[in-house]
Amino acid sequence: MDGTPHLMTNMRALSRYRALREQQACRLMQADATARDGARSANEAAAAALASAEDDRRLGEQRYYRDLACTARVTIDMLYRRHDELVRLGAAVEGASRLAETASAALARSESELLRSTAEYRVRFREVRKARLLQGKLEDAFRSHMALIDELDAEEQRSIRYVSRPGGRSEWP
C-alpha cells in the first residue's frame, strides 16, 4: 500500500495543480477580458476623439471658409463702392471738363470782345485826341482871330481919332 497513498497524494496534488491552473486561467481570461474591455473603451475613446477632432477640423475649415467668404464679400463690397465712387468721380470730371470747355469758350469770346473793345477804344481815343487837337487849334485860331479883330478895332479907333482931330490933317500915324 505503499504506492497507493503516494499516488493519491499525487492525484490530489495534480488535482490541486489543475484547480490552480484553472483559477489562473480564469484569472488570465478575466484579466484578458478586462484588458479587451479597456482596449475597446480606449479604442472607442480614440474613435470619439478622432471624430471630435475631425468635427473640430471641419468646423475650423467651415469657420475659415466662412471668414474667408465674409472677407471676400467685404472686399467685393469695397470694390463696388470704390467703383461707384470712381464712376461718380468720372462723371464729376466729365462735368468739370464740360464746364472748363464752356468757360474756355466764354473766355475766348470775352477775349475777342475785349480786343474788339480795345480796338474801338483806341479808335475813339484817336478821334478824341484829334478832336482835342482840332479844338485846341480852333481855340488858337479863334484867339488869333479875336486878337486880330481887337487889333483892327484898335487900328480903326486910332484912325477914327485921327480923322476926327481938330486939325483935319490927313496923316496917318
Side-chain angles (χ1 to χ4, degrees):
M1 292 208 212
D2 262 340
T4 316
H6 185 0
L7 183 66
M8 277 257 234
T9 315
N10 281 340
M11 291 247 304
R12 270 191 208 149
L14 188 60
S15 168
R16 256 190 264 145
Y17 178 74
R18 263 191 211 150
L20 276 174
R21 291 294 282 166
E22 283 178 11
Q23 282 177 355
Q24 281 179 343
C26 188
R27 280 189 211 125
L28 282 173
M29 285 193 303
Q30 284 177 352
D32 188 42
T34 304
R36 260 186 275 137
D37 288 345
R40 195 173 317 138
S41 294
N43 188 23
E44 289 172 1
L50 183 63
S52 175
E54 185 67 24
D55 286 346
D56 288 348
R57 185 186 61 78
R58 255 186 264 123
L59 287 174
E61 284 178 358
Q62 287 175 353
R63 259 189 246 114
Y64 171 75
Y65 287 118
R66 192 176 326 121
D67 291 346
L68 188 64
C70 184
T71 303
R73 184 178 31 231
V74 167
T75 303
I76 289 169
D77 287 346
M78 283 176 35
L79 287 173
Y80 277 127
R81 275 190 231 119
R82 296 291 184 219
H83 180 265
D84 292 345
E85 287 178 25
L86 286 175
V87 167
R88 280 193 295 271
L89 287 174
V93 166
E94 190 176 306
S97 178
R98 280 192 298 257
L99 286 174
E101 288 173 6
T102 304
S104 177
L107 183 62
R109 281 192 305 272
S110 296
E111 190 176 333
S112 68
E113 288 177 13
L114 180 63
L115 289 173
R116 185 179 45 79
S117 170
T118 303
E120 289 175 2
Y121 174 77
R122 286 182 182 154
V123 167
R124 284 188 204 136
F125 181 74
R126 282 188 212 119
E127 288 174 0
V128 167
R129 195 170 63 194
K130 285 178 187 176
R132 285 186 183 157
L133 286 172
L134 185 60
Q135 183 180 2
K137 288 180 182 181
L138 281 173
E139 286 175 358
D140 289 345
F142 182 73
R143 275 190 230 111
S144 296
H145 176 72
M146 291 307 285
L148 282 175
I149 289 178
D150 285 345
E151 275 184 44
L152 285 175
D153 281 346
E155 190 67 35
E156 189 178 338
Q157 286 296 328
R158 274 185 258 144
S159 327
I160 292 175
R161 277 190 225 141
Y162 179 74
V163 173
S164 28
R165 272 192 160 175
R169 297 184 210 154
S170 53
E171 291 180 24
W172 285 100

